[in-house]
PDB file of all heavy atoms in Angstrom:
ATOM      1  N   PHE A  19      99.479 103.311  91.675  1.00 93.00           N
ATOM      2  CA  PHE A  19      99.319 103.571  93.089  1.00 93.00           C
ATOM      3  C   PHE A  19      99.021 105.052  93.297  1.00 93.00           C
ATOM      4  O   PHE A  19      99.805 105.914  92.899  1.00 93.00           O
ATOM      5  CB  PHE A  19     100.574 103.149  93.863  1.00 93.00           C
ATOM      6  CG  PHE A  19     100.556 101.687  94.200  1.00 93.00           C
ATOM      7  CD1 PHE A  19     101.242 100.780  93.414  1.00 93.00           C
ATOM      8  CD2 PHE A  19      99.817 101.232  95.285  1.00 93.00           C
ATOM      9  CE1 PHE A  19     101.204  99.417  93.721  1.00 93.00           C
ATOM     10  CE2 PHE A  19      99.775  99.879  95.595  1.00 93.00           C
ATOM     11  CZ  PHE A  19     100.473  98.973  94.813  1.00 93.00           C
ATOM     12  N   ASP A  55      94.974  97.129  96.764  1.00 94.00           N
ATOM     13  CA  ASP A  55      96.256  96.967  97.438  1.00 94.00           C
ATOM     14  C   ASP A  55      96.704  98.298  98.031  1.00 94.00           C
ATOM     15  O   ASP A  55      96.418  99.360  97.481  1.00 94.00           O
ATOM     16  CB  ASP A  55      97.317  96.467  96.457  1.00 94.00           C
ATOM     17  CG  ASP A  55      97.162  94.972  96.212  1.00 94.00           C
ATOM     18  OD1 ASP A  55      96.145  94.410  96.661  1.00 94.00           O
ATOM     19  OD2 ASP A  55      98.046  94.382  95.581  1.00 94.00           O
ATOM     20  N   PHE A  56      97.383  98.200  99.167  1.00 93.00           N
ATOM     21  CA  PHE A  56      97.833  99.386  99.872  1.00 93.00           C
ATOM     22  C   PHE A  56      99.345  99.343 100.055  1.00 93.00           C
ATOM     23  O   PHE A  56      99.902  98.306 100.386  1.00 93.00           O
ATOM     24  CB  PHE A  56      97.153  99.447 101.248  1.00 93.00           C
ATOM     25  CG  PHE A  56      97.687 100.514 102.154  1.00 93.00           C
ATOM     26  CD1 PHE A  56      97.292 101.841 101.998  1.00 93.00           C
ATOM     27  CD2 PHE A  56      98.590 100.209 103.168  1.00 93.00           C
ATOM     28  CE1 PHE A  56      97.787 102.833 102.830  1.00 93.00           C
ATOM     29  CE2 PHE A  56      99.087 101.190 104.008  1.00 93.00           C
ATOM     30  CZ  PHE A  56      98.679 102.505 103.834  1.00 93.00           C
ATOM     31  N   LEU A  57      99.981 100.459  99.813  1.00 91.00           N
ATOM     32  CA  LEU A  57     101.420 100.591 100.035  1.00 91.00           C
ATOM     33  C   LEU A  57     101.679 101.920 100.720  1.00 91.00           C
ATOM     34  O   LEU A  57     100.882 102.846 100.603  1.00 91.00           O
ATOM     35  CB  LEU A  57     102.174 100.662  98.696  1.00 91.00           C
ATOM     36  CG  LEU A  57     102.470  99.414  97.882  1.00 91.00           C
ATOM     37  CD1 LEU A  57     103.327  99.823  96.698  1.00 91.00           C
ATOM     38  CD2 LEU A  57     103.203  98.406  98.723  1.00 91.00           C
ATOM     39  N   ARG A  58     102.809 101.997 101.414  1.00 89.00           N
ATOM     40  CA  ARG A  58     103.195 103.301 101.938  1.00 89.00           C
ATOM     41  C   ARG A  58     104.384 103.793 101.128  1.00 89.00           C
ATOM     42  O   ARG A  58     105.376 103.096 100.994  1.00 89.00           O
ATOM     43  CB  ARG A  58     103.530 103.199 103.427  1.00 89.00           C
ATOM     44  CG  ARG A  58     103.384 104.530 104.134  1.00 89.00           C
ATOM     45  CD  ARG A  58     103.303 104.381 105.636  1.00 89.00           C
ATOM     46  NE  ARG A  58     101.974 103.971 106.109  1.00 89.00           N
ATOM     47  CZ  ARG A  58     100.930 104.792 106.169  1.00 89.00           C
ATOM     48  NH1 ARG A  58     101.019 106.036 105.781  1.00 89.00           N
ATOM     49  NH2 ARG A  58      99.772 104.364 106.630  1.00 89.00           N
ATOM     50  N   HIS A  73      98.109  86.161  94.401  1.00 90.00           N
ATOM     51  CA  HIS A  73      99.181  86.601  95.291  1.00 90.00           C
ATOM     52  C   HIS A  73     100.352  87.203  94.516  1.00 90.00           C
ATOM     53  O   HIS A  73     100.862  86.616  93.588  1.00 90.00           O
ATOM     54  CB  HIS A  73      99.645  85.393  96.114  1.00 90.00           C
ATOM     55  CG  HIS A  73     100.690  85.743  97.110  1.00 90.00           C
ATOM     56  ND1 HIS A  73     100.399  86.370  98.291  1.00 90.00           N
ATOM     57  CD2 HIS A  73     102.030  85.590  97.085  1.00 90.00           C
ATOM     58  CE1 HIS A  73     101.514  86.563  98.965  1.00 90.00           C
ATOM     59  NE2 HIS A  73     102.526  86.105  98.251  1.00 90.00           N
ATOM     60  N   HIS A  74     100.740  88.391  94.895  1.00 93.00           N
ATOM     61  CA  HIS A  74     101.858  89.038  94.206  1.00 93.00           C
ATOM     62  C   HIS A  74     102.529  90.054  95.116  1.00 93.00           C
ATOM     63  O   HIS A  74     102.047  90.359  96.197  1.00 93.00           O
ATOM     64  CB  HIS A  74     101.378  89.727  92.926  1.00 93.00           C
ATOM     65  CG  HIS A  74     100.373  90.814  93.187  1.00 93.00           C
ATOM     66  ND1 HIS A  74      99.028  90.578  93.283  1.00 93.00           N
ATOM     67  CD2 HIS A  74     100.524  92.146  93.379  1.00 93.00           C
ATOM     68  CE1 HIS A  74      98.404  91.711  93.523  1.00 93.00           C
ATOM     69  NE2 HIS A  74      99.284  92.684  93.597  1.00 93.00           N
ATOM     70  N   HIS A  75     103.639  90.572  94.663  1.00 94.00           N
ATOM     71  CA  HIS A  75     104.361  91.617  95.378  1.00 94.00           C
ATOM     72  C   HIS A  75     104.585  92.796  94.442  1.00 94.00           C
ATOM     73  O   HIS A  75     104.332  92.691  93.248  1.00 94.00           O
ATOM     74  CB  HIS A  75     105.698  91.078  95.894  1.00 94.00           C
ATOM     75  CG  HIS A  75     105.507  89.988  96.903  1.00 94.00           C
ATOM     76  ND1 HIS A  75     105.298  90.237  98.231  1.00 94.00           N
ATOM     77  CD2 HIS A  75     105.455  88.646  96.758  1.00 94.00           C
ATOM     78  CE1 HIS A  75     105.131  89.091  98.864  1.00 94.00           C
ATOM     79  NE2 HIS A  75     105.217  88.112  97.995  1.00 94.00           N
ATOM     80  N   HIS A  76     105.056  93.900  95.008  1.00 94.00           N
ATOM     81  CA  HIS A  76     105.220  95.106  94.202  1.00 94.00           C
ATOM     82  C   HIS A  76     106.644  95.626  94.168  1.00 94.00           C
ATOM     83  O   HIS A  76     107.390  95.484  95.122  1.00 94.00           O
ATOM     84  CB  HIS A  76     104.336  96.238  94.754  1.00 94.00           C
ATOM     85  CG  HIS A  76     102.894  95.893  94.795  1.00 94.00           C
ATOM     86  ND1 HIS A  76     102.235  95.600  95.956  1.00 94.00           N
ATOM     87  CD2 HIS A  76     101.984  95.779  93.808  1.00 94.00           C
ATOM     88  CE1 HIS A  76     100.976  95.311  95.702  1.00 94.00           C
ATOM     89  NE2 HIS A  76     100.790  95.413  94.396  1.00 94.00           N
ATOM     90  N   LEU A  77     106.942  96.253  93.056  1.00 94.00           N
ATOM     91  CA  LEU A  77     108.113  97.108  92.946  1.00 94.00           C
ATOM     92  C   LEU A  77     107.552  98.513  92.799  1.00 94.00           C
ATOM     93  O   LEU A  77     106.616  98.725  92.029  1.00 94.00           O
ATOM     94  CB  LEU A  77     108.917  96.769  91.689  1.00 94.00           C
ATOM     95  CG  LEU A  77     109.660  95.429  91.688  1.00 94.00           C
ATOM     96  CD1 LEU A  77     109.665  94.838  90.297  1.00 94.00           C
ATOM     97  CD2 LEU A  77     111.084  95.636  92.172  1.00 94.00           C
ATOM     98  N   LEU A  78     108.101  99.446  93.553  1.00 92.00           N
ATOM     99  CA  LEU A  78     107.569 100.804  93.507  1.00 92.00           C
ATOM    100  C   LEU A  78     108.708 101.791  93.278  1.00 92.00           C
ATOM    101  O   LEU A  78     109.739 101.732  93.936  1.00 92.00           O
ATOM    102  CB  LEU A  78     106.856 101.124  94.825  1.00 92.00           C
ATOM    103  CG  LEU A  78     106.241 102.515  94.961  1.00 92.00           C
ATOM    104  CD1 LEU A  78     105.031 102.679  94.039  1.00 92.00           C
ATOM    105  CD2 LEU A  78     105.825 102.788  96.402  1.00 92.00           C
ATOM    106  N   ALA A  86     105.237  97.931  89.508  1.00 92.00           N
ATOM    107  CA  ALA A  86     105.102  96.677  88.790  1.00 92.00           C
ATOM    108  C   ALA A  86     104.728  95.600  89.791  1.00 92.00           C
ATOM    109  O   ALA A  86     105.048  95.712  90.978  1.00 92.00           O
ATOM    110  CB  ALA A  86     106.413  96.325  88.100  1.00 92.00           C
ATOM    111  N   GLU A  87     103.992  94.603  89.318  1.00 92.00           N
ATOM    112  CA  GLU A  87     103.647  93.469  90.163  1.00 92.00           C
ATOM    113  C   GLU A  87     104.535  92.305  89.768  1.00 92.00           C
ATOM    114  O   GLU A  87     104.809  92.119  88.602  1.00 92.00           O
ATOM    115  CB  GLU A  87     102.183  93.062  89.928  1.00 92.00           C
ATOM    116  CG  GLU A  87     101.196  94.138  90.316  1.00 92.00           C
ATOM    117  CD  GLU A  87      99.762  93.777  89.903  1.00 92.00           C
ATOM    118  OE1 GLU A  87      99.466  92.589  89.733  1.00 92.00           O
ATOM    119  OE2 GLU A  87      98.976  94.708  89.748  1.00 92.00           O
ATOM    120  N   PHE A  88     104.985  91.548  90.750  1.00 93.00           N
ATOM    121  CA  PHE A  88     105.717  90.341  90.396  1.00 93.00           C
ATOM    122  C   PHE A  88     105.301  89.151  91.242  1.00 93.00           C
ATOM    123  O   PHE A  88     104.821  89.306  92.366  1.00 93.00           O
ATOM    124  CB  PHE A  88     107.243  90.561  90.471  1.00 93.00           C
ATOM    125  CG  PHE A  88     107.784  90.694  91.884  1.00 93.00           C
ATOM    126  CD1 PHE A  88     108.200  89.578  92.584  1.00 93.00           C
ATOM    127  CD2 PHE A  88     107.903  91.943  92.470  1.00 93.00           C
ATOM    128  CE1 PHE A  88     108.718  89.693  93.877  1.00 93.00           C
ATOM    129  CE2 PHE A  88     108.418  92.072  93.760  1.00 93.00           C
ATOM    130  CZ  PHE A  88     108.827  90.945  94.465  1.00 93.00           C
ATOM    131  N   GLN A  89     105.459  87.986  90.656  1.00 94.00           N
ATOM    132  CA  GLN A  89     105.237  86.737  91.373  1.00 94.00           C
ATOM    133  C   GLN A  89     106.503  85.927  91.216  1.00 94.00           C
ATOM    134  O   GLN A  89     107.072  85.884  90.125  1.00 94.00           O
ATOM    135  CB  GLN A  89     104.068  85.961  90.759  1.00 94.00           C
ATOM    136  CG  GLN A  89     102.723  86.565  91.090  1.00 94.00           C
ATOM    137  CD  GLN A  89     101.612  85.920  90.291  1.00 94.00           C
ATOM    138  OE1 GLN A  89     101.558  86.059  89.076  1.00 94.00           O
ATOM    139  NE2 GLN A  89     100.736  85.210  90.965  1.00 94.00           N
ATOM    140  N   SER A  90     106.951  85.309  92.285  1.00 94.00           N
ATOM    141  CA  SER A  90     108.183  84.537  92.204  1.00 94.00           C
ATOM    142  C   SER A  90     108.145  83.368  93.181  1.00 94.00           C
ATOM    143  O   SER A  90     108.083  83.562  94.392  1.00 94.00           O
ATOM    144  CB  SER A  90     109.374  85.443  92.522  1.00 94.00           C
ATOM    145  OG  SER A  90     110.504  84.676  92.851  1.00 94.00           O
ATOM    146  N   PHE A  93     111.114  83.387  95.537  1.00 94.00           N
ATOM    147  CA  PHE A  93     110.934  84.337  96.623  1.00 94.00           C
ATOM    148  C   PHE A  93     110.029  83.743  97.702  1.00 94.00           C
ATOM    149  O   PHE A  93     110.334  83.822  98.898  1.00 94.00           O
ATOM    150  CB  PHE A  93     110.350  85.632  96.050  1.00 94.00           C
ATOM    151  CG  PHE A  93     110.239  86.751  97.032  1.00 94.00           C
ATOM    152  CD1 PHE A  93     111.352  87.221  97.706  1.00 94.00           C
ATOM    153  CD2 PHE A  93     109.013  87.363  97.270  1.00 94.00           C
ATOM    154  CE1 PHE A  93     111.251  88.275  98.600  1.00 94.00           C
ATOM    155  CE2 PHE A  93     108.908  88.412  98.169  1.00 94.00           C
ATOM    156  CZ  PHE A  93     110.026  88.861  98.832  1.00 94.00           C
ATOM    157  N   GLU A  94     108.919  83.134  97.279  1.00 94.00           N
ATOM    158  CA  GLU A  94     107.976  82.529  98.233  1.00 94.00           C
ATOM    159  C   GLU A  94     108.673  81.429  99.033  1.00 94.00           C
ATOM    160  O   GLU A  94     108.489  81.318 100.243  1.00 94.00           O
ATOM    161  CB  GLU A  94     106.762  81.949  97.496  1.00 94.00           C
ATOM    162  CG  GLU A  94     105.950  82.963  96.693  1.00 94.00           C
ATOM    163  CD  GLU A  94     105.355  84.069  97.536  1.00 94.00           C
ATOM    164  OE1 GLU A  94     104.958  83.804  98.684  1.00 94.00           O
ATOM    165  OE2 GLU A  94     105.296  85.213  97.051  1.00 94.00           O
ATOM    166  N   LEU A  96     111.853  81.093  99.577  1.00 94.00           N
ATOM    167  CA  LEU A  96     112.867  81.710 100.441  1.00 94.00           C
ATOM    168  C   LEU A  96     112.210  82.207 101.734  1.00 94.00           C
ATOM    169  O   LEU A  96     112.709  81.968 102.836  1.00 94.00           O
ATOM    170  CB  LEU A  96     113.545  82.870  99.708  1.00 94.00           C
ATOM    171  CG  LEU A  96     114.572  83.660 100.519  1.00 94.00           C
ATOM    172  CD1 LEU A  96     115.741  82.772 100.920  1.00 94.00           C
ATOM    173  CD2 LEU A  96     115.079  84.859  99.727  1.00 94.00           C
ATOM    174  N   LEU A  97     111.067  82.887 101.602  1.00 93.00           N
ATOM    175  CA  LEU A  97     110.361  83.394 102.782  1.00 93.00           C
ATOM    176  C   LEU A  97     109.965  82.252 103.701  1.00 93.00           C
ATOM    177  O   LEU A  97     110.062  82.351 104.924  1.00 93.00           O
ATOM    178  CB  LEU A  97     109.111  84.180 102.353  1.00 93.00           C
ATOM    179  CG  LEU A  97     109.350  85.505 101.640  1.00 93.00           C
ATOM    180  CD1 LEU A  97     108.039  86.167 101.287  1.00 93.00           C
ATOM    181  CD2 LEU A  97     110.172  86.451 102.505  1.00 93.00           C
ATOM    182  N   GLU A  98     109.520  81.146 103.085  1.00 93.00           N
ATOM    183  CA  GLU A  98     109.109  79.998 103.873  1.00 93.00           C
ATOM    184  C   GLU A  98     110.296  79.416 104.641  1.00 93.00           C
ATOM    185  O   GLU A  98     110.170  79.082 105.822  1.00 93.00           O
ATOM    186  CB  GLU A  98     108.500  78.945 102.954  1.00 93.00           C
ATOM    187  CG  GLU A  98     107.698  77.933 103.728  1.00 93.00           C
ATOM    188  CD  GLU A  98     106.491  77.472 102.935  1.00 93.00           C
ATOM    189  OE1 GLU A  98     105.765  78.336 102.405  1.00 93.00           O
ATOM    190  OE2 GLU A  98     106.313  76.260 102.822  1.00 93.00           O
ATOM    191  N   ILE A 100     113.015  80.922 105.543  1.00 96.00           N
ATOM    192  CA  ILE A 100     113.420  81.866 106.602  1.00 96.00           C
ATOM    193  C   ILE A 100     112.518  81.690 107.823  1.00 96.00           C
ATOM    194  O   ILE A 100     112.984  81.624 108.963  1.00 96.00           O
ATOM    195  CB  ILE A 100     113.371  83.328 106.107  1.00 96.00           C
ATOM    196  CG1 ILE A 100     114.458  83.564 105.047  1.00 96.00           C
ATOM    197  CG2 ILE A 100     113.561  84.306 107.268  1.00 96.00           C
ATOM    198  CD1 ILE A 100     114.339  84.889 104.317  1.00 96.00           C
ATOM    199  N   GLY A 110     101.061  84.741 106.780  1.00 87.00           N
ATOM    200  CA  GLY A 110     100.951  85.699 105.689  1.00 87.00           C
ATOM    201  C   GLY A 110     102.218  86.517 105.633  1.00 87.00           C
ATOM    202  O   GLY A 110     103.043  86.454 106.539  1.00 87.00           O
ATOM    203  N   HIS A 111     102.385  87.251 104.573  1.00 90.00           N
ATOM    204  CA  HIS A 111     103.544  88.136 104.497  1.00 90.00           C
ATOM    205  C   HIS A 111     103.260  89.266 103.538  1.00 90.00           C
ATOM    206  O   HIS A 111     102.419  89.168 102.655  1.00 90.00           O
ATOM    207  CB  HIS A 111     104.789  87.365 104.069  1.00 90.00           C
ATOM    208  CG  HIS A 111     104.666  86.742 102.707  1.00 90.00           C
ATOM    209  ND1 HIS A 111     104.363  85.435 102.528  1.00 90.00           N
ATOM    210  CD2 HIS A 111     104.793  87.277 101.478  1.00 90.00           C
ATOM    211  CE1 HIS A 111     104.307  85.173 101.228  1.00 90.00           C
ATOM    212  NE2 HIS A 111     104.557  86.274 100.567  1.00 90.00           N
ATOM    213  N   GLU A 112     103.972  90.342 103.735  1.00 85.00           N
ATOM    214  CA  GLU A 112     103.902  91.472 102.824  1.00 85.00           C
ATOM    215  C   GLU A 112     105.319  91.851 102.507  1.00 85.00           C
ATOM    216  O   GLU A 112     106.156  91.909 103.399  1.00 85.00           O
ATOM    217  CB  GLU A 112     103.219  92.665 103.506  1.00 85.00           C
ATOM    218  CG  GLU A 112     101.715  92.599 103.452  1.00 85.00           C
ATOM    219  CD  GLU A 112     101.098  93.782 104.171  1.00 85.00           C
ATOM    220  OE1 GLU A 112     101.423  94.924 103.797  1.00 85.00           O
ATOM    221  OE2 GLU A 112     100.341  93.545 105.112  1.00 85.00           O
ATOM    222  N   ALA A 113     105.624  92.076 101.268  1.00 88.00           N
ATOM    223  CA  ALA A 113     106.974  92.486 100.901  1.00 88.00           C
ATOM    224  C   ALA A 113     106.896  93.373  99.675  1.00 88.00           C
ATOM    225  O   ALA A 113     106.272  93.021  98.679  1.00 88.00           O
ATOM    226  CB  ALA A 113     107.838  91.269 100.619  1.00 88.00           C
ATOM    227  N   GLU A 114     107.444  94.547  99.798  1.00 90.00           N
ATOM    228  CA  GLU A 114     107.453  95.480  98.678  1.00 90.00           C
ATOM    229  C   GLU A 114     108.889  95.940  98.465  1.00 90.00           C
ATOM    230  O   GLU A 114     109.655  96.079  99.401  1.00 90.00           O
ATOM    231  CB  GLU A 114     106.573  96.709  98.965  1.00 90.00           C
ATOM    232  CG  GLU A 114     105.280  96.423  99.707  1.00 90.00           C
ATOM    233  CD  GLU A 114     104.309  95.551  98.954  1.00 90.00           C
ATOM    234  OE1 GLU A 114     104.513  95.323  97.736  1.00 90.00           O
ATOM    235  OE2 GLU A 114     103.341  95.071  99.573  1.00 90.00           O
ATOM    236  N   ILE A 115     109.227  96.161  97.232  1.00 92.00           N
ATOM    237  CA  ILE A 115     110.561  96.658  96.921  1.00 92.00           C
ATOM    238  C   ILE A 115     110.427  98.104  96.457  1.00 92.00           C
ATOM    239  O   ILE A 115     109.668  98.406  95.531  1.00 92.00           O
ATOM    240  CB  ILE A 115     111.216  95.806  95.809  1.00 92.00           C
ATOM    241  CG1 ILE A 115     111.375  94.367  96.302  1.00 92.00           C
ATOM    242  CG2 ILE A 115     112.570  96.401  95.408  1.00 92.00           C
ATOM    243  CD1 ILE A 115     111.835  93.397  95.244  1.00 92.00           C
ATOM    244  N   VAL A 116     111.120  99.003  97.144  1.00 91.00           N
ATOM    245  CA  VAL A 116     111.097 100.410  96.755  1.00 91.00           C
ATOM    246  C   VAL A 116     112.442 100.751  96.139  1.00 91.00           C
ATOM    247  O   VAL A 116     113.485 100.351  96.641  1.00 91.00           O
ATOM    248  CB  VAL A 116     110.831 101.320  97.975  1.00 91.00           C
ATOM    249  CG1 VAL A 116     110.851 102.783  97.568  1.00 91.00           C
ATOM    250  CG2 VAL A 116     109.504 100.975  98.615  1.00 91.00           C
TER     251      VAL A 116
END
Side-chain angles (χ1 to χ4, degrees):
F19 276 98
D55 282 9
F56 171 79
L57 281 185
R58 203 163 281 285
H73 183 77
H74 62 273
H75 296 275
H76 302 106
L77 290 145
L78 180 69
E87 297 173 23
F88 71 90
Q89 286 171 294
S90 162
F93 186 58
E94 300 299 324
L96 177 63
L97 291 180
E98 197 145 312
I100 292 170
H111 61 260
E112 277 179 57
E114 321 296 348
I115 298 172
V116 178

